[in-house]
């Protein structure tokens, strides 16, 4: 791995030669360039620099998205708009994906994910300041108050600090507005399965005393879409589990296993897995009884969202303006799941005695692969008619910013200073089961009167041939008594900061004015330790059926990451039309013992008034979170239920698999090279704009937490690397190889694995580690052309796309690079599905009060690479070689009119005009939800008005 990194690092230095070549090439071109006619152009600050300038483009690639762009797309939220940007990957707009794939998807938490490098790798700003509530970009500002979004795509740690690895996204609100405007929006799919509603309003006033106020509020609602409402995908959904009811059981010593005799005995007429309640008595599979759970998943979750925003700015004097900004958000989200969870822990504490009236085995048994409730028998009252259980979460956030801008009188320098306070937290309301209640119920002491047996077997259902009325059934009172409603706080974060930034002119040189910006920041990010394993009342009482009762609970500990930072930025006009920017930032994380200094240098050459050529090199980093740096120790443990150690061939069953911290973490780091140009020709091609950027990214020391099997697989890779072996040269089933593996493992201990004297694994620590690397090369192209056709009106044609020439990743430090480009990347969470290219093309028309547009979105095919074990049972033959290209067409029409002295606009549109269906795939979700969706054709309508 080290040699790979060095080779890649040398390759990344090659663009320095390109920077030099560009500089040498410029001089003769400048001699023939015509001088531009001088004109007054306002200097502004654009994301990616703190220095004001008046160039028509920036030395770093910045994409600006206007409010009209979002509204004309027909997207119900900004998160939905992000999904269709060619340079974004795996945006969370569809739920019900059980793969990790860079973040669990819940359909309500879309975040920026530039180049597929991870949601944590793009720094999200609101009005230039960090946002602690970046987990759902649509909740940061009311859409109507969002003037624009600027996305810097070549990293920004030299200016903004940690987290700006892949880039920076800045949501810019309205700060001045006179009047009132509002918007109502409605969208539904063609089958009527899900609907979106939005109502928002913004008002503003400029007072004669210099005070400006802008306030906005947005309410949005999304109704759920269940997998059962899309039976064609439910059929292909990999929805079978070895854990069900009927289930399987074992004796005390794991030497004998028993399948529930009711398994598979009453499925007649319910064998279609595309329909709810398929295989109610399960499907026999060896000692197991398989359960089908597709109807208990969702594609779109019920969500209610309210966001309020206020901004006040007051011009105190000619040189001082003060500003106060506040925003509040509450998002309620409901999700459905199975009526009870898999039981991994505490099974040895749940004996079902031979005297139990429903025990069919004649001996004491224990649950093995089983869950308390599924599709059979009497189910708790909390269960819906569909048989699913509904849980809910309430996310709340508040943000305050106060400060202002000021001129340093008598100079060209201006400054700004801000203090901010932000807080966000999440409260969960779920249903749980107490271990003590289940123990009592299995012993015949359950229910309100403490005198009932709970029957864990399939004979609890009247359809079972082993059902005995009044003996094997469970009463409604008993099953309701077993469940507890639990509310607890699962997340709680707080951010405080102080910023001071100065920028202005230093001195004049023959080619122009040298400008600079300097500043500093103090910030504190506190993670309150209120995870479910701490404040869930059942776990706190050591009485949670699903958490090991004897697992030690760490004392509550809040963890804080305090940062002190300084930065400087310099803009030097080398010769006329040529400028260089250089920036450097030093950040010290003073209470976690980490610091970093990162530079960025960029070049902007304007050989013509209409042509700008840019190049940049920058380094960025992502510091580990304070909670990740907690000690290496057992947090929450579950027993490993099956599998063998790939190094020693010894069984893993019974080993403790525990979450943990890791105080040895390093920061994630990246290097980004960008070379591009923007061309705005005049004359016959006036109205044309072309931007092209080529980018190389090296991203190393990625932090990830491995699953149990991945920890042991990494140990095998470590052994192979240390002994110069390939995977083909080692076979753990060979006693000689296994003995060598045992000897090596005992002589070279791994901090993530504890072994006994025989080499058998006793403990696995699923701690975060600096695991992987990613290497990306690609190109962005954006082309637009505005033109007029006599009386037909004005037209704008545009096309934008992203093309990857390389997207490689190293799964761990002991393995070479793996190509992810053009693949689904199903076996890994280190890369999302990566089409080689994406492209959007649109044509817009404007004439008087009428406007319309049509957009075509295209995604290239990707190779289907799901592993055999992850294919839907009995649907393996339907696995394709490729996921077909995706092409969808959207259409919109708008009409502007006056009504009651109000400027109004009515918009109607269709997304997925030709009702293209997502390709059915025999995998989790029934389709690839990270690049496609099951919504089909969708119709929307909006009304905008302005007073």
């Amino acid at each position: 791995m080290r040699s790979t990194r060095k080779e890649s690092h040398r390759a990344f230095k090659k663009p320095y030669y390109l920077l030099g070549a560009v500089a040498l090439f410029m001089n003769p071109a400048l001699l023939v360039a015509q001088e531009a006619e001088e004109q007054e152009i306002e200097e502004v600050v654009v994301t990616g620099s703190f220095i004001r300038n008046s160039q028509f483009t920036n030395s770093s690639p910045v994409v600006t998205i206007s409010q009209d762009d979002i509204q004309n797309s027909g997207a119900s939220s900004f998160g939905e708009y992000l999904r269709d940007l060619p340079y974004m990957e795996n945006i969370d707009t569809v739920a019900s994906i059980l793969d990790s794939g860079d973040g669990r998807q819940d359909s309500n938490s879309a975040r920026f994910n530039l180049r597929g490098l991870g949601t944590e790798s793009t720094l999200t700003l609101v009005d230039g300041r960090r946002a602690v509530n970046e987990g759902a970009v649509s909740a940061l500002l009311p859409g109507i108050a969002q003037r624009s979004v600027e996305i810097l795509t070549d990293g920004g740690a030299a200016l903004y600090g940690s987290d700006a690895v892949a880039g920076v996204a800045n949501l810019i609100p309205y700060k001045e507005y006179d009047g009132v405007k509002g918007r109502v929006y409605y969208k539904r799919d063609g089958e009527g399965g899900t609907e979106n509603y939005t109502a928002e309003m913004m008002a503003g006033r400029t007072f004669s005393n210099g005070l400006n106020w802008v306030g906005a509020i947005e309410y949005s609602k999304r109704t759920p879409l269940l997998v059962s409402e899309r039976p064609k995908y439910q059929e292909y959904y990999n929805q079978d589990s070895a854990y069900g009811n009927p289930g399987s059981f074992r004796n005390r010593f794991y030497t004998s296993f028993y399948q529930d005799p009711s398994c598979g005995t009453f499925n007649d007429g319910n064998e279609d897995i595309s329909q709810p309640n398929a295989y109610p008595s399960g499907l026999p599979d060896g000692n197991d009884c398989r359960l089908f759970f597709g109807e208990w998943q969702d594609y779109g979750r019920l969500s209610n969202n309210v966001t309020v925003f206020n901004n006040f700015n007051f011009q105190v004097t000619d040189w001082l303006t003060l500003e106060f900004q506040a925003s509040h958000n509450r998002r309620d989200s409901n999700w459905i799941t199975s009526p009870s969870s898999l039981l991994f822990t505490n099974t040895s504490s749940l004996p079902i005695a031979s005297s139990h009236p429903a025990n069919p085995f004649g001996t004491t048994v224990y649950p093995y692969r089983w869950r308390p409730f599924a599709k059979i028998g009497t189910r708790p009252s909390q269960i819906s008619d569909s048989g699913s259980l509904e849980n809910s979460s309430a996310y709340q956030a508040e943000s305050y910013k106060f400060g202002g801008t000021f001129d340093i009188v008598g100079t060209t320098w201006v400054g700004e200073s801000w203090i901010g306070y932000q807080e966000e937290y999440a409260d969960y309301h779920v249903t749980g089961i107490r271990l003590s209640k289940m123990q009592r119920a299995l012993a015949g002491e359950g229910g309100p009167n403490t005198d009932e047996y709970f029957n864990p077997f399939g004979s609890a259902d009247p359809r079972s041939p082993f059902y005995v009325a009044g003996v094997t059934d469970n009463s409604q009172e008993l099953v309701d008594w077993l469940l507890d409603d639990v509310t607890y706080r699962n997340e709680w974060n707080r951010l405080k900061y102080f910023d001071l930034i100065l920028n202005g002119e230093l001195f004049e040189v023959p080619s122009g004015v040298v400008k600079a910006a300097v500043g500093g920041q103090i910030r504190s990010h506190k993670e309150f330790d209120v995870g479910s394993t701490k404040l869930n009342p059942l776990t706190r009482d050591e009485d949670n059926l699903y958490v090991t009762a004897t697992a030690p609970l760490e004392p509550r500990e809040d963890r804080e990451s305090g940062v002190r930072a300084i930065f400087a930025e310099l803009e030097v006009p080398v010769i006329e039309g040529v400028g260089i920017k250089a920036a450097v930032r030093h950040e010290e994380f003073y209470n976690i013992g980490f610091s970093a200094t990162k530079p960025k240098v960029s070049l902007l050459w304007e050989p013509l008034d209409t042509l700008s050529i840019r190049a940049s090199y920058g380094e960025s980093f992502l510091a580990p979170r304070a909670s990740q740096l907690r000690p290496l120790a057992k947090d929450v443990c579950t027993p490993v239920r099956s599998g063998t150690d790939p190094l020693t061939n010894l069984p893993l069953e019974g080993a403790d698999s525990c979450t943990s911290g890791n105080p040895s973490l390093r920061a994630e780091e990246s290097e980004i090279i960008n070379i591009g140009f923007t061309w705005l020709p005049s004359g016959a091609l006036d109205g044309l704009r072309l931007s092209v950027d080529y980018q190389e990214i090296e991203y190393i020391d990625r932090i990830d937490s491995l699953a149990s099997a991945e920890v042991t697989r990494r140990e095998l890779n470590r052994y192979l690397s240390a002994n110069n072996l390939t995977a083909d040269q080692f076979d753990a089933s060979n006693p000689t190889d296994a003995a060598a593996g045992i000897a090596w493992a005992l002589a070279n201990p791994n901090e993530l694995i504890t072994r006994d004297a025989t080499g058998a694994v006793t403990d696995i620590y699923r701690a975060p580690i600096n695991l992987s690397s990613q290497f990306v090369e690609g190109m962005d192209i954006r082309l637009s052309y505005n033109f007029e056709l006599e009386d037909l009106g004005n037209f704008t044609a545009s096309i934008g796309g992203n093309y990857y020439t390389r997207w490689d990743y190293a799964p761990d430090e002991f393995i070479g690079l793996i190509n992810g480009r053009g693949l689904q990347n199903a076996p890994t969470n280190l890369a999302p599905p990566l089409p080689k290219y994406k492209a959007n093309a649109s044509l817009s028309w404007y004439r008087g009060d009428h406007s319309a547009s049509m957009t075509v979105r295209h995604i290239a095919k990707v190779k289907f690479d799901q592993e055999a074990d992850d294919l839907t049972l009995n649907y393996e033959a339907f696995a394709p070689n490729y996921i077909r290209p995706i092409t969808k067409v959207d259409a919109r029409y708008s009409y502007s009119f006056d009504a009651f002295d109000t400027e109004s606009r009515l918009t109607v549109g269709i997304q997925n005009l030709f009702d293209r269906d997502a390709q059915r795939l025999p995998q989790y979700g029934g389709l690839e939800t990270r690049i496609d969706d099951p919504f089909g054709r969708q119709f929307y309508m909006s009304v905008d008005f302005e007073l």
Side-chain angles (χ1 to χ4, degrees):
M1 178 60 201
R2 292 187 182 276
S3 62
T4 302
R5 177 177 172 181
K6 287 180 180 177
E7 290 173 7
S8 178
H9 192 70
R10 285 197 296 270
F12 262 66
K13 301 306 178 187
K14 293 179 182 177
Y16 275 132
Y17 298 116
L18 293 174
L19 287 173
V22 169
L24 290 172
F25 175 74
M26 289 186 300
N27 289 318
L30 286 171
L31 296 176
V32 299
Q34 296 182 352
E35 293 188 4
E37 196 175 312
E38 293 187 5
Q39 52 184 320
E40 286 291 327
I41 301 178
E42 180 186 2
E43 292 187 329
V44 296
V45 173
V46 178
T47 303
S49 175
F50 289 118
I51 297 175
R52 293 169 294 162
N53 64 58
S54 58
Q55 288 112 341
F56 67 84
T57 187
N58 201 24
S59 56
S60 289
V62 177
V63 179
T64 301
I65 301 167
S66 70
Q67 187 182 92
D68 283 344
D69 292 332
I70 300 169
Q71 293 183 355
N72 290 341
S73 73
S76 60
S77 66
F78 181 57
E80 186 177 302
Y81 179 84
L82 284 181
R83 175 194 60 191
D84 297 321
L85 295 178
Y87 45 85
M88 295 288 179
E89 305 289 354
N90 191 22
I91 302 302
D92 176 12
T93 56
V94 183
S96 191
I97 172 171
L98 301 184
D99 290 339
S100 50
D102 188 35
R104 182 68 176 264
Q105 294 185 307
D106 66 5
S107 76
N108 292 319
S109 305
R111 299 175 60 180
F112 297 97
N113 191 348
L114 279 165
R115 319 289 181 201
L117 293 174
T119 56
E120 301 291 337
S121 304
T122 301
L123 177 62
T124 301
L125 307 175
V126 177
D127 197 20
R129 299 291 153 319
R130 289 170 177 263
V132 72
N133 185 33
E134 63 178 5
V137 296
S138 297
L140 294 173
L141 281 174
I144 202 167
Q146 189 170 285
R147 180 171 62 83
S148 63
V149 180
E150 293 177 347
I151 301 176
L152 172 72
T153 62
D154 70 342
L159 293 170
Y160 302 104
S162 177
D163 306 354
V165 177
V168 179
N170 188 12
L171 282 69
I172 303 173
Y174 282 99
K175 293 186 178 181
E176 293 186 14
Y177 178 75
D178 277 294
V180 177
K181 69 175 181 176
R183 187 171 194 253
V184 292
Y185 171 95
Y186 172 76
K187 181 168 73 173
R188 58 162 285 172
D189 66 301
E191 299 181 41
T194 182
E195 298 173 303
N196 289 269
Y197 310 84
T198 302
E200 49 191 339
M201 181 172 290
M202 182 174 75
R205 177 78 183 274
T206 300
F207 298 91
S208 58
N209 62 356
L211 175 67
N212 283 282
W213 165 71
V214 175
I217 184 170
E218 174 184 327
Y219 169 75
S220 61
K221 178 179 180 179
R222 176 181 186 167
T223 63
L225 178 68
L226 308 184
V227 170
S228 58
E229 297 179 85
R230 293 291 189 267
K232 59 188 174 186
Y233 297 119
Q234 182 176 323
E235 179 183 5
Y236 272 58
Y237 203 124
N238 185 5
Q239 54 175 303
D240 60 290
S241 170
Y243 292 79
N245 192 334
S248 59
F249 302 82
R250 61 170 176 86
N251 67 357
R252 181 180 179 182
F253 303 103
Y254 286 89
T255 57
S256 297
F257 298 89
Y258 310 91
Q259 185 187 85
D260 191 316
S262 294
C263 180
T265 60
F266 49 94
N267 294 322
D268 292 348
N270 293 288
E271 293 90 355
D272 185 352
I273 63 172
S274 71
Q275 300 300 315
N277 205 40
Y279 292 96
S281 62
L283 188 67
D285 182 14
N287 289 322
D288 297 328
C289 189
R290 305 202 75 81
L291 167 75
F292 292 88
F293 56 81
E295 65 262 38
W296 300 331
Q297 302 293 313
D298 47 19
Y299 287 129
R301 296 186 175 168
L302 174 65
S303 175
N304 288 278
N305 188 76
V306 178
T307 308
V308 180
F309 169 80
N310 279 281
N311 190 90
F312 301 86
N313 65 64
F314 177 57
Q315 187 169 348
V316 182
T317 68
D318 291 340
W319 59 271
L320 175 64
T321 300
L322 297 178
E323 183 176 307
F324 174 71
Q325 194 175 102
S327 64
H328 297 78
N329 172 258
R330 179 184 173 102
R331 177 166 55 93
D332 294 299
S333 178
N334 290 24
W335 73 95
I336 68 166
T337 184
S338 56
S340 61
S341 299
L342 322 179
L343 188 60
F344 288 109
T345 63
N346 294 322
T347 57
S348 296
S349 302
L350 298 171
I352 307 165
S354 58
S355 58
H356 189 295
N359 187 335
F361 304 117
T363 185
T364 298
V365 296
Y366 299 79
Y368 180 56
R369 289 179 172 168
W370 171 80
R371 64 180 81 203
F373 303 104
K375 301 181 180 182
I376 64 173
T378 303
R379 292 183 288 190
S381 300
Q382 292 95 327
I383 305 302
S384 69
D385 292 340
S386 67
S388 60
L389 184 65
E390 186 173 288
N391 297 309
S392 64
S393 55
Y395 302 90
Q396 298 195 62
E398 52 187 289
S399 173
Y400 305 94
K401 184 184 80 168
F402 175 73
T405 60
F406 54 90
D407 298 332
I408 300 178
V409 180
T411 73
T412 62
W413 283 70
V414 298
E416 55 180 302
S417 183
W418 308 98
I419 58 173
Y421 177 93
Q422 300 179 26
E423 194 168 275
E424 61 99 15
Y425 51 88
D427 292 330
Y428 281 20
H429 181 80
V430 300
T431 300
I433 301 176
R434 289 188 176 272
L435 173 62
S436 59
K437 284 189 175 182
M438 183 59 73
Q439 289 172 325
R440 290 159 55 191
L442 291 175
E445 300 174 356
N449 300 317
T450 68
D451 60 355
E452 295 184 66
Y453 276 99
F454 175 69
N455 180 6
F457 304 107
S459 58
D461 193 287
R463 294 169 290 182
S464 168
F466 306 99
Y467 172 78
V468 179
V471 177
T472 64
D473 45 7
N474 293 314
S475 71
Q476 190 68 56
E477 293 77 15
L478 171 64
V479 297
D480 288 346
W481 171 83
L482 275 171
L483 270 65
D484 282 23
D485 289 330
V486 177
T487 299
Y488 61 92
R489 181 154 294 180
N490 188 58
E491 301 171 18
W492 189 6
N493 292 281
R494 186 183 69 197
L495 174 66
K496 297 185 290 186
Y497 62 82
F498 169 75
D499 286 338
L500 174 63
I501 302 168
L502 304 172
N503 79 87
E505 299 177 358
L506 288 178
F507 50 85
E508 192 167 351
V509 296
S511 54
V513 178
V514 177
K515 300 178 181 180
V518 296
Q521 182 185 69
I522 301 172
R523 69 177 187 269
S524 169
H525 181 201
K526 176 173 282 191
E527 298 174 86
F528 294 93
D529 193 359
V530 293
S532 62
T533 60
K534 302 296 186 292
L535 292 189
N536 183 326
L538 276 60
T539 306
R540 181 190 59 210
D541 298 341
E542 298 188 18
D543 197 19
N544 192 332
L545 180 66
Y546 300 110
V547 178
T548 305
T550 57
L553 294 179
E554 288 187 345
R556 174 177 171 178
E557 181 181 351
D558 299 332
R559 295 177 171 88
E560 188 167 7
S561 178
V563 180
R564 291 187 287 257
I566 56 173
F567 83 92
E569 183 183 11
L570 189 68
E571 180 181 280
V572 180
V574 180
I575 52 179
E576 185 177 355
V578 180
I580 292 178
K581 280 186 179 178
V584 63
R585 183 183 181 106
H586 175 78
E587 289 203 338
E588 180 186 356
F589 293 74
Y590 54 85
N591 56 355
I592 62 174
F594 174 81
S595 63
T597 302
K598 295 299 177 183
K600 183 174 182 179
V601 59
S602 57
L603 173 72
L604 182 65
W605 172 38
E606 294 179 325
L608 303 171
D609 292 344
T610 58
L611 178 64
S612 174
I613 299 173
R614 57 185 166 268
S616 64
Y617 168 82
E619 298 178 6
S620 296
F621 70 104
L622 175 58
R625 299 195 309 272
S627 60
Q628 292 176 318
L629 292 167
R630 66 191 190 275
L632 187 69
K634 292 184 176 182
D635 288 348
V636 179
C637 301
T638 57
V640 178
R641 302 303 296 269
S642 61
T644 58
D645 182 353
L647 177 61
T648 66
N649 205 38
L650 296 174
L652 293 172
E653 188 169 300
D656 275 345
S657 175
C658 308
T659 59
S660 174
N662 184 357
S664 301
L665 286 175
R666 303 181 302 277
E668 303 178 4
E669 300 192 61
S670 75
E671 296 180 9
I672 299 182
I673 293 287
N674 190 92
I675 299 174
F677 70 87
T678 297
W679 181 43
L680 281 75
S682 56
L685 293 177
D686 187 26
L688 180 71
R689 181 185 181 100
L690 172 64
S691 290
V692 178
D693 283 278
Y694 173 79
Q695 196 167 94
E696 295 184 1
I697 305 170
E698 177 185 24
Y699 193 1
I700 62 173
D701 285 340
R702 292 297 309 271
I703 296 173
D704 202 359
S705 296
L706 299 176
S708 301
E710 292 171 326
V711 174
T712 54
R713 190 182 306 127
R714 175 174 174 265
E715 177 76 338
L716 171 62
N717 295 337
R718 189 167 76 106
Y719 169 78
L720 296 175
S721 176
N723 292 279
N724 295 315
L725 298 173
T726 66
D728 295 335
Q729 295 172 316
F730 179 84
D731 181 4
S733 63
N734 182 313
T736 302
D737 286 356
I742 292 172
W744 185 88
L746 292 175
N748 298 273
N750 182 344
E751 64 178 359
L752 301 183
I753 298 176
T754 303
R755 299 177 183 272
D756 62 20
T758 69
V761 174
T762 58
D763 301 293
I764 295 173
Y765 294 89
R766 290 179 279 116
I769 58 174
N770 294 99
L771 176 70
S772 63
S773 300
Q774 295 163 324
F775 304 89
V776 181
E777 298 173 5
M779 183 175 295
D780 291 332
I781 300 175
R782 295 180 292 276
L783 173 66
S784 64
Y785 182 48
N786 299 314
F787 59 95
E788 184 177 355
L789 289 179
E790 299 181 353
D791 295 334
L792 295 179
N794 295 311
F795 295 83
T796 299
S798 65
I799 186 170
N802 172 66
Y803 181 80
Y804 290 119
T805 57
R806 178 192 186 194
W807 211 111
D808 297 339
Y809 66 95
D812 62 49
E813 63 269 51
F814 308 112
I815 293 184
L817 296 176
I818 295 176
N819 171 45
R821 173 177 173 263
L823 303 179
Q824 183 190 16
N825 294 308
T828 180
N829 65 351
L830 302 176
L834 288 166
K836 292 181 180 179
Y837 64 88
K838 294 180 180 179
N840 296 337
S842 66
L843 178 65
S844 301
W845 165 74
Y846 307 87
R847 184 181 181 218
D849 296 329
H850 305 269
S851 68
S853 64
M854 182 167 288
T855 302
V856 180
R857 311 185 191 281
H858 180 77
I859 299 175
K861 68 178 182 181
V862 296
K863 184 172 178 57
F864 183 77
D865 55 13
Q866 280 284 352
E867 295 180 324
D869 290 345
D870 290 327
L871 296 176
T872 303
L873 187 67
N874 299 324
Y875 281 76
E876 295 84 354
F878 294 91
N881 291 324
Y882 286 90
I883 300 177
R884 295 190 298 265
I886 300 168
T887 302
K888 295 182 180 180
V889 179
D890 302 339
R892 172 195 63 86
Y893 169 76
S894 297
Y895 174 65
S896 299
F897 58 96
D898 291 331
F900 308 105
D901 295 325
T902 301
E903 297 180 9
S904 304
R905 182 179 64 192
L906 170 67
T907 299
V908 293
I910 303 175
Q911 292 182 317
N912 194 4
L913 177 65
F914 299 109
D915 199 19
R916 178 203 172 276
D917 281 339
Q919 183 178 353
R920 295 194 299 174
L921 301 169
Q923 63 169 36
Y924 293 125
L927 68 153
E928 182 46 85
T929 57
R930 294 173 289 176
I931 57 174
D932 211 341
D933 66 66
F935 303 128
R937 182 187 290 128
Q938 298 182 86
F939 302 88
Y940 68 89
M941 178 181 70
S942 66
V943 177
D944 299 80
F945 62 89
E946 187 169 5
L947 300 177

